[in-house]
Amino acid sequence: MNFTFENDMWGGVKQVYDRFDEGKSTLRNMVKFLQERASIEEHYAKGLEKLINSKVANITEKGTVAVGWNGMKTEADNAFKQHSQLCSQMQTNVLQPLLVLKKDQSTNRATLGAEVTKLDKGLEKGKLELSRAKNKYFKLCKDHELNTANLSKAEKDPTTIKPKELIRLRTTVQTLKKDSEAAHIQYQQQIKEFQAYQKKYEESMKKILQDFQALEEKRIQKIADVQEKFYQSLESLISSLQQSVQSFRKTVEGIDYMSDVQGFISGNKTGSVPDSPVEYEPYISQLTGQPAHSQDKGVSFAAPSNAKQKSKKNPLGKLKKSKKKSVDPNVPITAPVASPKRLTKKDEDSVSNGDVPPLSQSQVSASGASMQSSASVEHPVVKAKALYDYNAADDTEITFKADDIINVTKNDDSIPGWMEGEFNGKIGLFPGNYVEILTRKRKCVALFDFVAENDDELSIKEGEELIIESEAEGWFTGTNKNGETGLFPANYVDEKAP
């Protein structure tokens, strides 16, 4: 069931007026809101245009960064164009139709209101005239009725009234009768006229209410139309911006720091290298073949000028100690617990370059022999080949000849450029740049099961073979046959001989 103004709003013109006033306010606020929105879009677009054309939008850098930067500028330029287009579409498709609608609504409201006012005045005038005719008729009928009653009473008892007054009373009754009959005719005529006006009023008012309803429906439909166009403009804006952002994303994904850095280096190579470090060169006596003076252990050595050089390695520097990690005391251990030390990233890089990491005491000797003792090394980890002859300057050093193989036990952190090693049953110091490190793969077999507790640990099974990559504070970093790498306790495995 559909409601209508003409059938369901009869007598509710005031409510209809209030509805139109409310709609007028809605249009006024919508127009103002959208005008400000269009102004914001225009201001934003002009700001983007100014930014795109400013000095800060230009860079001189080349490579993938420049491509990414141009992608960013392209995205900004597209945003400027899209927001400018949105502003233009708002003016043409949204604001202009609303302004026309607002004007039409006001004009039609005034016209229909004037018609209602005219009809209402005619209705009130008709009511007034009808009321007057009715009142006149009723009054004459009443007066005639009273005078007729008085005349009848006087005629029954003539002694109660003078003859002249009786004649005048009869005249009055006749006049009132005639006047009341005339008023009756006039009253009936007035009713007919008013009924005719009522019919006209009803027809006209229903037509006006129909027009009011049509205007209200038109207003709401027009608002829906312009909002749909505004939505379509926004949808087009968002779609275009999304495409622009996706395109920009591809340029961002193409930024390659390695490519840019390598390209810069390739185009700007100097061809220069750093100067070699100044090194101490001992004087070798032509008579004895020995250095003329004892060497300071804090000074880096150069190869003797009269020695036969086979290769050259830089002295080792200090290695950092890593965080300690405890071993589960409930697991049976047969090997001595290694000193808790792990290699840092710097240490691993040193090993890969042929340098020697600091070695734990368990790798030097299971019996805890001192540097000056003649204890044998249980599991020598690293060996070094002598490049030159070297004669010990005191009892803390060892003597060897070129091509001798030395078991390196550790780098002496307190004396840069020196190593500690075992040769011919003696442990002592020697210059690190007098030897060449012989690298090899270290292998081991698990003696016990070990279950990893942390993400950086590796679970191992008894009898499993592993490759040792590095060692730190009683823990090995190793790899199993499946290629899995992690930490496990050094005293849970038996290291194989080379």
Side-chain angles (χ1 to χ4, degrees):
M1 178 178 180
N2 293 327
F3 299 111
T4 62
F5 277 24
E6 61 177 301
N7 293 328
D8 301 290
M9 296 298 296
W10 184 260
V13 173
K14 182 180 184 305
Q15 290 91 321
V16 173
Y17 283 173
D18 291 343
R19 173 68 176 180
F20 264 71
D21 290 342
E22 184 179 43
K24 183 178 179 181
S25 175
T26 298
L27 285 173
R28 181 175 60 251
N29 290 341
M30 285 185 66
V31 168
K32 185 176 181 181
F33 177 89
L34 290 169
Q35 284 175 336
E36 292 184 6
R37 173 67 186 271
S39 177
I40 291 172
E41 293 292 340
E42 181 181 18
H43 181 74
Y44 178 65
K46 288 182 178 180
L48 283 175
E49 183 182 26
K50 182 178 179 181
L51 177 64
I52 294 167
N53 296 322
S54 67
K55 292 182 179 179
V56 298
N58 299 318
I59 63 172
T60 59
E61 185 175 341
K62 307 297 182 183
T64 60
V65 166
V67 174
W69 179 254
N70 287 332
M72 183 180 293
K73 288 174 61 178
T74 300
E75 186 280 327
D77 184 64
N78 183 66
F80 150 66
K81 292 177 180 178
Q82 292 302 317
H83 283 278
S84 296
Q85 184 177 359
L86 176 62
C87 178
S88 176
Q89 290 174 343
M90 287 183 66
Q91 293 289 351
T92 303
N93 300 332
V94 179
L95 279 169
Q96 190 62 32
L98 284 179
L99 288 170
V100 172
L101 175 64
K102 181 174 176 288
K103 182 178 179 181
D104 289 345
Q105 289 287 108
S106 297
T107 301
N108 290 324
R109 161 68 173 81
T111 300
L112 292 176
E115 291 182 11
V116 171
T117 301
K118 182 178 179 181
L119 286 173
D120 284 342
K121 285 182 177 180
L123 185 66
E124 292 300 320
K125 181 180 179 182
K127 287 180 180 180
L128 179 61
E129 290 176 351
L130 179 61
S131 177
R132 287 175 176 172
K134 176 184 175 181
N135 292 336
K136 180 180 180 181
Y137 167 64
F138 277 26
K139 184 177 184 305
L140 289 172
C141 286
K142 184 179 180 179
D143 290 346
H144 176 261
E145 185 179 28
L146 291 174
N147 281 278
T148 300
N150 291 333
L151 177 61
S152 177
K153 183 179 178 181
E155 287 177 342
K156 288 179 180 181
D157 187 3
T159 61
T160 60
I161 188 171
K162 294 178 179 181
K164 289 184 178 181
E165 291 180 356
L166 181 60
I167 295 172
R168 187 166 49 251
L169 181 58
R170 286 174 179 166
T171 303
T172 301
V173 169
Q174 291 176 355
T175 302
L176 287 173
K177 181 180 180 182
K178 189 183 295 184
D179 290 345
S180 65
E181 288 175 351
H184 178 247
I185 295 172
Q186 185 181 3
Y187 174 47
Q188 287 181 323
Q189 182 63 34
Q190 195 66 43
I191 289 177
K192 290 179 181 179
E193 292 178 0
F194 187 72
Q195 286 176 340
Y197 188 83
Q198 278 184 313
K199 183 177 180 180
K200 177 183 176 182
Y201 179 87
E202 180 178 349
E203 292 174 352
S204 300
M205 186 59 71
K206 284 186 175 182
K207 178 64 170 57
I208 290 172
L209 289 173
Q210 289 175 357
D211 292 343
F212 269 125
Q213 181 171 347
L215 288 173
E216 180 64 0
E217 291 173 351
K218 178 182 177 181
R219 180 184 72 87
I220 296 174
Q221 185 59 51
K222 179 60 70 173
I223 288 175
D225 291 343
V226 297
Q227 288 187 343
E228 174 65 23
K229 290 181 180 179
F230 184 46
Y231 163 77
Q232 292 174 356
S233 297
L234 288 176
E235 189 175 41
S236 175
L237 169 71
I238 294 172
S239 177
S240 178
L241 291 179
Q242 286 178 337
Q243 294 177 6
S244 179
V245 169
Q246 290 299 322
S247 178
F248 172 51
R249 180 182 180 182
K250 292 180 180 179
T251 64
V252 172
E253 291 173 346
I255 297 176
D256 184 351
Y257 72 93
M258 287 294 295
S259 174
D260 282 19
V261 172
Q262 292 300 313
F264 168 75
I265 296 173
S266 175
N268 296 275
K269 291 189 293 187
T270 63
S272 302
V273 296
D275 295 334
S276 300
V278 177
E279 296 179 324
Y280 171 79
E281 181 180 352
Y283 173 78
I284 306 301
S285 172
Q286 297 180 2
L287 299 177
T288 64
Q290 299 296 321
H293 299 86
S294 61
Q295 300 92 332
D296 185 349
K297 293 183 178 61
V299 178
S300 177
F301 281 81
S305 59
N306 55 352
K308 181 181 179 182
Q309 181 174 344
K310 295 188 177 180
S311 66
K312 185 164 184 171
K313 296 286 180 181
N314 289 330
L316 292 179
K318 283 188 177 183
L319 299 181
K320 296 181 179 179
K321 293 182 179 180
S322 62
K323 186 177 179 182
K324 294 184 179 181
K325 184 177 184 73
S326 62
V327 179
D328 186 353
N330 296 322
V331 179
I333 299 175
T334 57
V337 177
S339 173
K341 179 180 179 182
R342 292 184 185 174
L343 284 177
T344 62
K345 175 65 179 172
K346 181 178 178 182
D347 299 336
E348 294 171 359
D349 293 341
S350 298
V351 173
S352 65
N353 293 329
D355 296 339
V356 183
L359 306 178
S360 67
Q361 187 62 27
S362 64
Q363 295 169 312
V364 176
S365 173
S367 61
S370 65
M371 185 176 68
Q372 296 180 352
S373 70
S374 298
S376 64
V377 177
E378 182 177 321
H379 294 295
V381 175
V382 180
K383 293 181 180 294
K385 183 178 181 180
L387 299 176
Y388 319 104
D389 295 345
Y390 182 72
N391 294 318
D394 53 44
D395 291 339
T396 64
E397 301 176 1
I398 58 174
T399 299
F400 51 79
K401 299 292 187 181
D403 295 328
D404 284 342
I405 302 299
I406 304 165
N407 294 328
V408 180
T409 57
K410 69 176 180 179
N411 293 334
D412 193 327
D413 292 344
S414 63
I415 308 177
W418 288 75
M419 294 183 181
E420 180 188 85
E422 183 269 338
F423 181 67
N424 287 339
K426 181 180 180 182
I427 295 177
L429 300 172
F430 60 91
N433 58 350
Y434 271 55
V435 299
E436 177 184 24
I437 300 299
L438 302 176
T439 59
R440 65 177 178 84
K441 286 187 176 181
R442 299 169 58 192
K443 299 181 179 180
C444 65
V445 178
L447 299 175
F448 314 102
D449 291 349
F450 170 71
V451 179
E453 297 180 356
N454 299 312
D455 293 341
D456 61 346
E457 296 176 356
L458 177 67
S459 296
I460 61 176
K461 297 289 186 181
E462 181 180 354
E464 184 179 3
E465 292 189 358
L466 304 109
I467 301 296
I468 300 173
E469 307 292 346
S470 61
E471 179 185 4
E473 298 184 352
W475 288 75
F476 286 147
T477 298
T479 305
N480 60 21
K481 63 181 179 180
N482 296 325
E484 299 171 330
T485 301
L487 294 164
F488 52 87
N491 55 357
Y492 274 48
V493 299
D494 180 26
E495 188 171 357
K496 292 184 176 182

